Amino acid sequence: MYRRQFLKAATSGLGSLLLGVGASPQPAKKKIEIRGAYSSPDPFWQKGVHLGEYGIDAVFIHAESIDTALIQRCRAEGARVFAEFPAFNGGGWLTQQDGDRQRVIDEHADAWPIDEKGQRSPRQTWFLGICPTNETFLRARLEALKRVVTSHKLDGVWLDYLHWHAQFEDPKPLLPETCFDESCVRRFQAESGLTVRGTRPEEWAQDILGRYQERWRDWRCSVVVDFARRCREILWQHAPQLVLGNFQCAWRDDEYGGARRRTLGLDLRSMAQVFDVMSPMLYHGRSGHSTDWVGRNVKWLCNQL
Ligand SMILES: [Zn+2]
């Protein structure tokens, strides 16, 4: 996945550092709480250097790419190992790569995010989300998480793609209204006590956005937090020593018309009650921001907590 071909930092509000592979192994002038590298450490190893020479003491690696040999080598070089675990990523569940094409998986069609017109919301550039109340999908993710934390001796897990269907990493964000399928509307009614009029997704959407929009946006945030709690429970049951982190959109609430909460369904304070560490994805270059945007947004995020 090309968006992650550079390193990202784990930020806990204590301090962080982004370090490119081409950086020189200079001694640090300030005390750094954690220096993390994202994705496979192979670029370092192919250059014949070990992680300790760069002061890297943590690596964040896609869960499916982790094996015992990799963990042992990282540990031998002084780095802790954290698994990146995708949450609401529909790729591989809704579609499958078939040569140059994406083949739709018909048996999972009920998990497709549905927009306000009652249509399947398409892939937003490279990202395809999911209906985040589809219980079959959610249980499959929780089972996968259990496998990850029981198969490897990790230091922690970072949930990724934990948001409603949207594209927030490109310079022009794509922010569809979802999800108005039967699963979401039924659960919204059950948990809010409200009654939604209509018999089809487009009618439900019109009624919800017309009469209950604020309650709907609040409820969408609660769906994200609820899944995070279920992941936390998996850790409590099977690997309670692990740190639970979250790679999260780095927007402030006043950017993009409030889309952090409105579209992505991210309520920072309620999410912070579940996670040990929040890692804002501060991709200023690829998302069309200046470097000072990074500092402004880190400051804003820290002030929220
Ligand atoms: Zn849905």
Side-chain angles (χ1 to χ4, degrees):
M1 193 147 296
Y2 74 93
R3 73 168 176 152
R4 301 285 166 71
Q5 286 172 346
F6 53 92
L7 308 179
K8 44 185 179 179
T11 59
S12 62
L14 298 173
S16 66
L17 186 71
L18 289 171
L19 176 67
V21 172
S24 300
Q26 300 289 332
K29 292 174 182 168
K30 293 181 180 175
K31 183 179 184 303
I32 294 171
E33 296 288 340
I34 183 169
R35 177 174 277 178
Y38 185 86
S39 193
S40 168
D42 276 342
F44 293 97
W45 294 337
Q46 285 166 4
K47 288 178 70 175
V49 298
H50 65 77
L51 301 174
E53 290 179 69
Y54 285 85
I56 293 172
D57 57 10
V59 293
F60 297 80
I61 304 172
H62 184 52
E64 301 297 325
S65 304
I66 293 174
D67 59 31
T68 303
L70 184 138
I71 291 174
Q72 287 176 344
R73 182 164 180 181
C74 290
R75 289 255 165 76
E77 297 185 9
R80 288 170 288 171
V81 179
F82 301 91
E84 176 254 359
F85 184 82
F88 298 159
N89 187 340
W93 186 267
L94 300 176
T95 61
Q96 197 165 39
Q97 195 72 34
D98 188 3
D100 293 338
R101 300 181 53 209
Q102 290 283 335
R103 185 176 66 81
V104 172
I105 301 175
D106 292 331
E107 55 266 44
H108 293 161
D110 63 344
W112 206 284
I114 300 298
D115 68 17
E116 77 279 19
K117 297 187 177 97
Q119 304 298 310
R120 290 181 183 179
S121 186
R123 187 178 293 274
Q124 306 294 326
T125 62
W126 53 265
F127 181 69
L128 178 59
I130 196 91
C131 165
T133 67
N134 184 282
E135 197 56 28
T136 306
F137 172 79
L138 297 180
R139 287 182 186 168
R141 294 315 300 149
L142 293 169
E143 272 302 307
L145 179 61
K146 179 181 165 185
R147 276 198 304 279
V148 168
V149 300
T150 56
S151 301
H152 306 296
K153 290 194 184 317
L154 299 166
D155 294 285
V157 175
W158 254 243
L159 300 188
D160 206 354
Y161 307 104
L162 183 63
H163 57 82
W164 291 69
H165 180 46
Q167 171 58 269
F168 62 85
E169 297 186 29
D170 289 350
K172 289 187 179 174
L174 299 169
L175 304 167
E177 286 277 12
T178 66
C179 169
F180 299 98
D181 72 338
E182 191 175 347
S183 169
C184 285
V185 173
R186 193 186 324 117
R187 185 166 149 184
F188 170 61
Q189 291 182 104
E191 295 180 356
S192 68
L194 300 170
T195 301
V196 177
R197 296 175 190 150
T199 56
R200 300 196 305 270
E202 59 270 35
E203 294 171 351
W204 296 330
Q206 188 176 22
D207 194 41
I208 288 170
L209 296 176
R211 293 198 297 154
Y212 304 133
Q213 187 162 163
E214 196 171 330
R215 296 284 294 275
W216 171 251
R217 310 257 179 231
D218 288 346
W219 173 79
R220 291 169 87 255
C221 290
S222 76
V223 169
V224 172
V225 174
D226 181 67
F227 184 72
R229 286 191 198 285
R230 291 171 76 177
C231 291
R232 171 62 92 181
E233 285 166 9
I234 294 287
L235 264 59
W236 278 337
Q237 289 169 20
H238 303 284
Q241 74 280 10
L242 298 194
V243 175
L244 182 62
N246 174 220
F247 289 124
Q248 190 175 130
C249 174
W251 290 348
R252 303 184 309 271
D253 275 348
D254 63 350
E255 290 179 289
Y256 303 101
R260 153 186 273 281
R261 179 184 179 86
R262 176 187 173 86
T263 307
L264 297 169
L266 301 177
D267 183 280
L268 197 63
R269 289 183 184 173
S270 55
M271 294 179 80
Q273 293 174 15
V274 182
F275 291 102
D276 300 307
V277 182
M278 313 282 275
S279 299
M281 302 196 297
L282 295 152
Y283 308 158
H284 69 282
R286 64 156 298 146
S287 59
H289 292 283
S290 60
T291 50
D292 61 347
W293 174 83
V294 174
R296 276 201 311 277
N297 283 32
V298 168
K299 190 174 179 183
W300 180 85
L301 289 160
C302 291
N303 285 340
Q304 302 307 302
L305 302 176

PDB file of all heavy atoms in Angstrom, residues 112-114 131-134 164 179-185, ligand 1:
ATOM      1  N   TRP A 112     -21.222  -3.724   2.046  1.00  0.00           N
ATOM      2  CA  TRP A 112     -20.802  -2.547   1.284  1.00  0.00           C
ATOM      3  C   TRP A 112     -21.389  -1.283   1.921  1.00  0.00           C
ATOM      4  O   TRP A 112     -22.560  -1.261   2.275  1.00  0.00           O
ATOM      5  CB  TRP A 112     -21.291  -2.661  -0.163  1.00  0.00           C
ATOM      6  CG  TRP A 112     -20.431  -1.882  -1.105  1.00  0.00           C
ATOM      7  CD1 TRP A 112     -20.429  -0.541  -1.263  1.00  0.00           C
ATOM      8  CD2 TRP A 112     -19.428  -2.395  -1.985  1.00  0.00           C
ATOM      9  NE1 TRP A 112     -19.489  -0.168  -2.188  1.00  0.00           N
ATOM     10  CE2 TRP A 112     -18.859  -1.283  -2.657  1.00  0.00           C
ATOM     11  CE3 TRP A 112     -18.949  -3.680  -2.273  1.00  0.00           C
ATOM     12  CZ2 TRP A 112     -17.836  -1.421  -3.595  1.00  0.00           C
ATOM     13  CZ3 TRP A 112     -17.944  -3.803  -3.207  1.00  0.00           C
ATOM     14  CH2 TRP A 112     -17.389  -2.685  -3.856  1.00  0.00           C
ATOM     15  N   PRO A 113     -20.581  -0.197   2.084  1.00  0.00           N
ATOM     16  CA  PRO A 113     -21.150   1.048   2.624  1.00  0.00           C
ATOM     17  C   PRO A 113     -22.137   1.657   1.631  1.00  0.00           C
ATOM     18  O   PRO A 113     -21.841   1.783   0.448  1.00  0.00           O
ATOM     19  CB  PRO A 113     -19.922   1.946   2.825  1.00  0.00           C
ATOM     20  CG  PRO A 113     -18.855   1.387   1.945  1.00  0.00           C
ATOM     21  CD  PRO A 113     -19.141  -0.079   1.786  1.00  0.00           C
ATOM     22  N   ILE A 114     -23.313   2.027   2.121  1.00  0.00           N
ATOM     23  CA  ILE A 114     -24.395   2.534   1.265  1.00  0.00           C
ATOM     24  C   ILE A 114     -24.539   4.043   1.477  1.00  0.00           C
ATOM     25  O   ILE A 114     -24.627   4.508   2.618  1.00  0.00           O
ATOM     26  CB  ILE A 114     -25.724   1.813   1.601  1.00  0.00           C
ATOM     27  CG1 ILE A 114     -25.575   0.294   1.383  1.00  0.00           C
ATOM     28  CG2 ILE A 114     -26.871   2.377   0.774  1.00  0.00           C
ATOM     29  CD1 ILE A 114     -25.251  -0.138  -0.041  1.00  0.00           C
ATOM     30  N   CYS A 131     -19.255  -1.252   5.727  1.00  0.00           N
ATOM     31  CA  CYS A 131     -20.350  -0.948   6.649  1.00  0.00           C
ATOM     32  C   CYS A 131     -19.863  -1.353   8.049  1.00  0.00           C
ATOM     33  O   CYS A 131     -19.658  -2.542   8.314  1.00  0.00           O
ATOM     34  CB  CYS A 131     -21.592  -1.746   6.284  1.00  0.00           C
ATOM     35  SG  CYS A 131     -22.820  -1.745   7.613  1.00  0.00           S
ATOM     36  N   PRO A 132     -19.664  -0.402   8.956  1.00  0.00           N
ATOM     37  CA  PRO A 132     -19.051  -0.736  10.246  1.00  0.00           C
ATOM     38  C   PRO A 132     -19.986  -1.356  11.269  1.00  0.00           C
ATOM     39  O   PRO A 132     -19.588  -1.535  12.423  1.00  0.00           O
ATOM     40  CB  PRO A 132     -18.506   0.613  10.740  1.00  0.00           C
ATOM     41  CG  PRO A 132     -19.349   1.622  10.077  1.00  0.00           C
ATOM     42  CD  PRO A 132     -19.868   1.046   8.804  1.00  0.00           C
ATOM     43  N   THR A 133     -21.214  -1.699  10.837  1.00  0.00           N
ATOM     44  CA  THR A 133     -22.089  -2.462  11.741  1.00  0.00           C
ATOM     45  C   THR A 133     -22.352  -3.859  11.190  1.00  0.00           C
ATOM     46  O   THR A 133     -23.198  -4.572  11.731  1.00  0.00           O
ATOM     47  CB  THR A 133     -23.446  -1.740  11.969  1.00  0.00           C
ATOM     48  OG1 THR A 133     -24.182  -1.745  10.740  1.00  0.00           O
ATOM     49  CG2 THR A 133     -23.247  -0.321  12.466  1.00  0.00           C
ATOM     50  N   ASN A 134     -21.649  -4.236  10.135  1.00  0.00           N
ATOM     51  CA  ASN A 134     -21.845  -5.577   9.580  1.00  0.00           C
ATOM     52  C   ASN A 134     -21.175  -6.591  10.514  1.00  0.00           C
ATOM     53  O   ASN A 134     -19.955  -6.719  10.556  1.00  0.00           O
ATOM     54  CB  ASN A 134     -21.248  -5.659   8.168  1.00  0.00           C
ATOM     55  CG  ASN A 134     -21.531  -6.999   7.530  1.00  0.00           C
ATOM     56  OD1 ASN A 134     -20.883  -7.997   7.836  1.00  0.00           O
ATOM     57  ND2 ASN A 134     -22.515  -7.041   6.659  1.00  0.00           N
ATOM     58  N   TRP A 164     -15.282   5.707   9.440  1.00  0.00           N
ATOM     59  CA  TRP A 164     -16.285   5.444   8.406  1.00  0.00           C
ATOM     60  C   TRP A 164     -15.674   5.737   7.032  1.00  0.00           C
ATOM     61  O   TRP A 164     -14.707   6.500   6.915  1.00  0.00           O
ATOM     62  CB  TRP A 164     -17.537   6.289   8.649  1.00  0.00           C
ATOM     63  CG  TRP A 164     -18.324   5.863   9.868  1.00  0.00           C
ATOM     64  CD1 TRP A 164     -17.933   5.988  11.165  1.00  0.00           C
ATOM     65  CD2 TRP A 164     -19.610   5.233   9.894  1.00  0.00           C
ATOM     66  NE1 TRP A 164     -18.896   5.474  11.996  1.00  0.00           N
ATOM     67  CE2 TRP A 164     -19.939   5.014  11.256  1.00  0.00           C
ATOM     68  CE3 TRP A 164     -20.528   4.839   8.918  1.00  0.00           C
ATOM     69  CZ2 TRP A 164     -21.137   4.410  11.652  1.00  0.00           C
ATOM     70  CZ3 TRP A 164     -21.719   4.249   9.301  1.00  0.00           C
ATOM     71  CH2 TRP A 164     -22.020   4.026  10.651  1.00  0.00           C
ATOM     72  N   CYS A 179     -23.394   5.258   6.532  1.00  0.00           N
ATOM     73  CA  CYS A 179     -23.897   4.156   5.739  1.00  0.00           C
ATOM     74  C   CYS A 179     -25.376   3.992   6.098  1.00  0.00           C
ATOM     75  O   CYS A 179     -25.719   3.940   7.278  1.00  0.00           O
ATOM     76  CB  CYS A 179     -23.104   2.900   6.071  1.00  0.00           C
ATOM     77  SG  CYS A 179     -23.755   1.349   5.425  1.00  0.00           S
ATOM     78  N   PHE A 180     -26.209   3.917   5.084  1.00  0.00           N
ATOM     79  CA  PHE A 180     -27.657   3.907   5.305  1.00  0.00           C
ATOM     80  C   PHE A 180     -28.266   2.552   4.930  1.00  0.00           C
ATOM     81  O   PHE A 180     -29.399   2.493   4.465  1.00  0.00           O
ATOM     82  CB  PHE A 180     -28.307   5.039   4.502  1.00  0.00           C
ATOM     83  CG  PHE A 180     -27.809   6.401   4.908  1.00  0.00           C
ATOM     84  CD1 PHE A 180     -26.817   7.036   4.177  1.00  0.00           C
ATOM     85  CD2 PHE A 180     -28.316   7.039   6.033  1.00  0.00           C
ATOM     86  CE1 PHE A 180     -26.345   8.287   4.556  1.00  0.00           C
ATOM     87  CE2 PHE A 180     -27.846   8.289   6.419  1.00  0.00           C
ATOM     88  CZ  PHE A 180     -26.859   8.920   5.682  1.00  0.00           C
ATOM     89  N   ASP A 181     -27.515   1.485   5.104  1.00  0.00           N
ATOM     90  CA  ASP A 181     -28.083   0.164   4.836  1.00  0.00           C
ATOM     91  C   ASP A 181     -28.944  -0.270   6.036  1.00  0.00           C
ATOM     92  O   ASP A 181     -29.022   0.423   7.062  1.00  0.00           O
ATOM     93  CB  ASP A 181     -26.973  -0.864   4.552  1.00  0.00           C
ATOM     94  CG  ASP A 181     -26.186  -1.224   5.801  1.00  0.00           C
ATOM     95  OD1 ASP A 181     -26.181  -0.422   6.760  1.00  0.00           O
ATOM     96  OD2 ASP A 181     -25.582  -2.303   5.837  1.00  0.00           O
ATOM     97  N   GLU A 182     -29.602  -1.406   5.874  1.00  0.00           N
ATOM     98  CA  GLU A 182     -30.540  -1.877   6.904  1.00  0.00           C
ATOM     99  C   GLU A 182     -29.834  -2.105   8.233  1.00  0.00           C
ATOM    100  O   GLU A 182     -30.365  -1.801   9.309  1.00  0.00           O
ATOM    101  CB  GLU A 182     -31.220  -3.162   6.432  1.00  0.00           C
ATOM    102  CG  GLU A 182     -32.380  -3.557   7.322  1.00  0.00           C
ATOM    103  CD  GLU A 182     -33.127  -4.772   6.787  1.00  0.00           C
ATOM    104  OE1 GLU A 182     -32.891  -5.154   5.614  1.00  0.00           O
ATOM    105  OE2 GLU A 182     -33.931  -5.342   7.548  1.00  0.00           O
ATOM    106  N   SER A 183     -28.610  -2.634   8.181  1.00  0.00           N
ATOM    107  CA  SER A 183     -27.867  -2.940   9.403  1.00  0.00           C
ATOM    108  C   SER A 183     -27.625  -1.676  10.230  1.00  0.00           C
ATOM    109  O   SER A 183     -27.873  -1.652  11.447  1.00  0.00           O
ATOM    110  CB  SER A 183     -26.534  -3.602   9.022  1.00  0.00           C
ATOM    111  OG  SER A 183     -25.681  -3.679  10.128  1.00  0.00           O
ATOM    112  N   CYS A 184     -27.143  -0.624   9.574  1.00  0.00           N
ATOM    113  CA  CYS A 184     -26.839   0.612  10.305  1.00  0.00           C
ATOM    114  C   CYS A 184     -28.118   1.288  10.798  1.00  0.00           C
ATOM    115  O   CYS A 184     -28.163   1.760  11.945  1.00  0.00           O
ATOM    116  CB  CYS A 184     -26.040   1.570   9.419  1.00  0.00           C
ATOM    117  SG  CYS A 184     -24.311   1.079   9.224  1.00  0.00           S
ATOM    118  N   VAL A 185     -29.128   1.357   9.945  1.00  0.00           N
ATOM    119  CA  VAL A 185     -30.355   2.061  10.338  1.00  0.00           C
ATOM    120  C   VAL A 185     -31.065   1.303  11.460  1.00  0.00           C
ATOM    121  O   VAL A 185     -31.588   1.910  12.410  1.00  0.00           O
ATOM    122  CB  VAL A 185     -31.276   2.257   9.111  1.00  0.00           C
ATOM    123  CG1 VAL A 185     -32.620   2.835   9.533  1.00  0.00           C
ATOM    124  CG2 VAL A 185     -30.593   3.175   8.099  1.00  0.00           C
TER     125      VAL A 185
HETATM  126 ZN    ZN B   1     -24.051   0.061   7.247  1.00  0.00          ZN
END
